[in-house]
Amino acid sequence: MTMGLKDKKVVRKNRSFVESFKHAFDGLVILCKTERNFRFHLIASLVVVIMSFVLKIDLSQWVWILLAIFMVLIAEVVNTLCESIVNLIVGNKYDEIAKKAKDVAAAGVVIASIFAAIIGLLVYVPIIFGL
């Protein structure tokens, strides 16, 4: 299935898994280049992973830490996706429904971040304070 666009580029279904993976990797590069908050979350994740190695957390703690990390990163991806689609639809004009969509998507990141902070406290406080 193809669809013509204004700039004469043709969009078609990916022909292979490798092609799909390349587009997904392109998306990650775009996120890293254009989204300050995504870069912040990646750096914070790296710090958490290093700290986890230093503190020698156990396997079950790793599962929770990695779950928290990936939830925040996925929430940031969904937020960026939502913002991009809203911007595509409304352009530069203000729209109350567009604002609501963007604010709710951003709230998803905040909720995931609160979850991650709680997991971090549950895992690291007992280790750091010897509880």
Side-chain angles (χ1 to χ4, degrees):
M1 173 187 218
T2 62
M3 174 175 62
L5 300 175
K6 290 180 189 175
D7 61 2
K8 306 296 184 216
K9 288 185 180 180
V10 175
V11 177
R12 61 172 170 72
K13 188 163 179 63
N14 295 326
R15 294 183 182 164
S16 69
F17 176 78
V18 172
E19 188 175 356
S20 296
F21 187 80
K22 185 208 175 298
H23 290 303
F25 185 78
D26 290 345
L28 284 172
V29 170
I30 290 167
L31 280 165
C32 291
K33 283 184 177 180
T34 65
E35 297 301 318
R36 178 193 69 236
N37 290 343
F38 189 80
R39 288 190 304 270
F40 170 81
H41 290 299
L42 278 179
I43 292 167
S45 297
L46 180 62
V47 169
V48 167
V49 167
I50 291 168
M51 190 167 80
S52 297
F53 277 113
V54 169
L55 294 175
K56 298 181 174 126
I57 66 174
D58 66 33
L59 180 60
S60 65
Q61 292 167 323
W62 270 110
V63 169
W64 284 104
I65 292 298
L66 291 174
L67 175 66
I69 287 171
F70 282 97
M71 281 191 68
V72 171
L73 294 176
I74 291 166
E76 194 63 59
V77 168
V78 171
N79 181 47
T80 300
L81 171 67
C82 178
E83 288 178 349
S84 297
I85 291 171
V86 167
N87 290 344
L88 181 66
I89 294 168
V90 300
N92 291 329
K93 69 178 183 173
Y94 178 83
D95 184 276
E96 192 63 34
I97 296 171
K99 179 187 182 323
K100 178 181 176 181
K102 288 182 171 187
D103 289 352
V104 168
V109 178
V110 170
I111 292 167
S113 297
I114 291 168
F115 172 77
I118 292 168
I119 294 301
L121 289 171
L122 291 171
V123 169
Y124 299 126
V125 166
I127 295 170
I128 291 170
F129 294 105
L131 302 175

